[in-house]
Amino acid sequence: MCNSTNGHVGVDVPDAAAESRRPGPALIEDLISANHILFDQGVVDAFGHVSVRHDMQPDRFFLARNMAPGNVTASDIIEFTLDGDPVDANGRKVYLERFIHSEIYREFPDVQAIVHSHSHSIVPLSVVKNIPLRAIFHMAGFIGECAPVFEIRDVAGPGTDLLISDNRLGRALAQCFHASDIVLMRGHGSTVVGQSLRQVVYRAVYAEINARYQIEATKLGEVTYLTAAEAKSCVANVEAQSHRPWDLWKAQARERRT
Amino acid sequence: MCNSTNGHVGVDVPDAAAESRRPGPALIEDLISANHILFDQGVVDAFGHVSVRHDMQPDRFFLARNMAPGNVTASDIIEFTLDGDPVDANGRKVYLERFIHSEIYREFPDVQAIVHSHSHSIVPLSVVKNIPLRAIFHMAGFIGECAPVFEIRDVAGPGTDLLISDNRLGRALAQCFHASDIVLMRGHGSTVVGQSLRQVVYRAVYAEINARYQIEATKLGEVTYLTAAEAKSCVANVEAQSHRPWDLWKAQARERRT
Amino acid sequence: MCNSTNGHVGVDVPDAAAESRRPGPALIEDLISANHILFDQGVVDAFGHVSVRHDMQPDRFFLARNMAPGNVTASDIIEFTLDGDPVDANGRKVYLERFIHSEIYREFPDVQAIVHSHSHSIVPLSVVKNIPLRAIFHMAGFIGECAPVFEIRDVAGPGTDLLISDNRLGRALAQCFHASDIVLMRGHGSTVVGQSLRQVVYRAVYAEINARYQIEATKLGEVTYLTAAEAKSCVANVEAQSHRPWDLWKAQARERRT
Amino acid sequence: MCNSTNGHVGVDVPDAAAESRRPGPALIEDLISANHILFDQGVVDAFGHVSVRHDMQPDRFFLARNMAPGNVTASDIIEFTLDGDPVDANGRKVYLERFIHSEIYREFPDVQAIVHSHSHSIVPLSVVKNIPLRAIFHMAGFIGECAPVFEIRDVAGPGTDLLISDNRLGRALAQCFHASDIVLMRGHGSTVVGQSLRQVVYRAVYAEINARYQIEATKLGEVTYLTAAEAKSCVANVEAQSHRPWDLWKAQARERRT
């Protein structure tokens, strides 16, 4: 087991002894696309990661090995247990922060996909106390009226590396998702959850755009945010269109890589 | 008929029973170019749309099927009536917000082309009450002294999805164009009208640029805007040059797609 | 002659009856490169222009026909007199604002090249009264302690199209260059002069960058600008390095166009 | 010797009479990659430079000839002594500011690589007195609680060209690195040091990103910065991951140049 804080500086983790089922045919392909799209859209750079729950075995999930998301291929995908242990790493190094994923999947059985990133407009909002991230336009209803900010100092004191590098920190972060589908992490970035890769990628992209718009608007004057009812309607009706950006981004990602 | 609010979650709409005339030879080609240009210039992403009135049958207009504008081809163009009903969808899905187009064409016989978008500097201005979009430089005289902001809450209450998804909402939005050729939509984006695709694409691009400049200037100090007379002179003389960006952008759009 | 205000809506101008000498072999090639570089670096879009004085005949200058600078080729270059009249237009349309160039060349025999543009950070500064463009870093010493702003209302009243579309307006603008090598034009853009294409392209690019930095810094607190002596030293020593960006940009421009 | 201020306008410097050892096989290749990466990531444009200490002869370092970093090849690399004199220039021109590198290497035997640049968010911070650059997120712990600003006026008076163009100025700048691994230079840019090219390139990129985030956050409200202990932990744990961006950027740099 590697859930102690000592484990997080090493990223060679022994495989868990367990059997695996094959995922549905499109799942890994979509996870690869999600990695590429998030890089192409500027949500992740060499850092950040996206995972998907195993569609045939809900106590497992898939995540790339420790590498830049924009270059992920099928051979880079590793299966993990909900303890954050790799099932089939075969010597491939794993992300220090896989516990973000494992503990949210454990806590929320309906979450199917997760993105963690440090995108450009999210980080500044994460360090300013008086301005919570709020839904400012119809594309980002999922943000709702107030995204919580996870302050790692409250859990682990004032001297950490800010990384969610063990199960305990993962569990603490996961608790914040009872209040929201997106959680900012002070001085670090954000994590967003969804019910499919398509949805969570949509949300990660538009969370960044909403943050950018909110920062601009805040500097100009008093802002009219979405009401709770508007936010809810937008999630129902606008997110139903998330196939549109997904199809576009997926086609672009393929074109750029051939 | 599909003008009830119930209709907007489904986007498979039965074709209207009606005959069609062929448009002029360049009209559809220009509409495709307009879609591509607006994507290339960052005015639309996977969302937003551009239409043109039928040049042989003024009670019809053309609009792409429900898809990302940057990839539109001739086979994606659908003809619509001024009720927002497709004439020849043949099973292709249509945009939820086609009523933006249909109702403006109905209300304003001189409008020949329309762009609806959520561009980056327009959305922040749409949610700040004290700063209306105003013409700040000679390229954007068409904005004039004050662009109105359409507040959907005034028409449909505080719990909508902000979409113009039926004829009634389209009519309410269309009324705002009696005051201006560009209308901001709170928490959503903007719609701009013109007398040709070339002109409306020009306006959509420079509305975004004007908004960006205005936001920057507003944060620095007191701003000198164009006078009404200057704005009018600029429309007359600068927009006469709109073939210059159109030719450039069209050539770029072609190059990127071959 | 076309120096009346009536002339500026038409851009088909009859050729002046005059002989021409051939320019040095690199002059036209460099002018084409300058057009491409300014587009590639985002200083001009479909609008804006760059000219160079004839190196064998100082009462003439070269400027592209009325078109987007990024696509200029040798066949698009037109020779002009210092009245702003084309010598060899042969039916090619000319820029409305060629009088910016003609009147500055007439007034300042040492000016060899001129750029007029509407770049992104210059326009906002042009409309805010309390913050003049000033040199903020060593790359932009040529801006000095205060760039003047040309207010066309002072010359032609409050209802113009802001364009420098005749000799009289060109002369008024040219007067501002007695105080500075760069002049902002309210609600319009800027014009910058230099002693070579290489230098003026360098200045147009770094004027925009300086403006961007200045806008950012101004929003943060009190700014330390270059002293007059620092600005002067920077012009002497840093601009002597302007071959470095020129060589880079020229190579990039060629690569993008082949 | 060329350490007088008179030397800095000429950049043809005679070679020092000295023998050279061959560097390790990857050192020059990595230095070329570092040049390309810094250009691709927008940290340098046609200006700025990166050096590495000779791995077999610690009183020597390598730096490109006077040129744009994005185009550097093996034949452009010159070896220098710690006096800033080229060993093998063979007529190739050298950077005016090589003394930044020579004097830091002389003062700090553990420094192995140095980047000097004028990146977009660093310059504005360098001219505003009340806001020091501080670590705002986990990727930039190396900035710590306060990056010093080098004011050349304190050393050389109010009329310089701001360049570090001789040994004396290099020594004055080098002193600032006793307090920090990154030093801002007023009205000029910054210099950052590291223990490898990989690390210093990482730091130059994330210093710019941190500055951008800090500028945004500062305009919004009170900012929570990293504590000294957090910054230290981040350096230890996050910088250990610097191979991830290096591998990505190196692959991208190669792809763009073939």
Side-chain angles (χ1 to χ4, degrees), chain B residues 55-66:
Chain B
D55 54 352
M56 301 296 171
Q57 201 170 347
D59 60 345
R60 298 284 175 80
F61 67 96
F62 296 101
L63 182 67
R65 68 175 174 88
N66 185 7

Side-chain angles (χ1 to χ4, degrees), chain C residues 56-67:
Chain C
M56 302 294 170
Q57 201 170 348
D59 61 344
R60 297 284 175 81
F61 67 96
F62 296 100
L63 182 67
R65 68 176 174 88
N66 185 6
M67 67 177 293

Side-chain angles (χ1 to χ4, degrees), chain C residues 56-87:
Chain C
M56 302 294 170
Q57 201 170 348
D59 61 344
R60 297 284 175 81
F61 67 96
F62 296 100
L63 182 67
R65 68 176 174 88
N66 185 6
M67 67 177 293
N71 293 342
V72 164
T73 64
S75 66
D76 301 313
I77 303 297
I78 298 176
E79 185 175 340
F80 289 88
T81 69
L82 297 190
D83 289 325
D85 295 327
V87 176

Side-chain angles (χ1 to χ4, degrees), chain B residues 138-139 142 196 198-199 202-203 231-247, chain C residues 8-11 47 66 93-94 96 161 163:
Chain B
H138 68 309
M139 305 298 288
F142 64 91
S196 68
R198 180 179 300 186
Q199 188 188 43
Y202 168 95
R203 289 175 167 191
K232 200 173 165 188
S233 293
C234 288
V235 171
N237 294 330
V238 181
E239 291 201 1
Q241 302 289 314
S242 66
H243 58 89
R244 221 200 289 174
W246 176 264
D247 291 348
Chain C
H8 84 264
V9 292
V11 288
F47 297 91
N66 185 6
K93 291 189 188 293
V94 298
L96 297 174
D161 57 13
L163 301 176

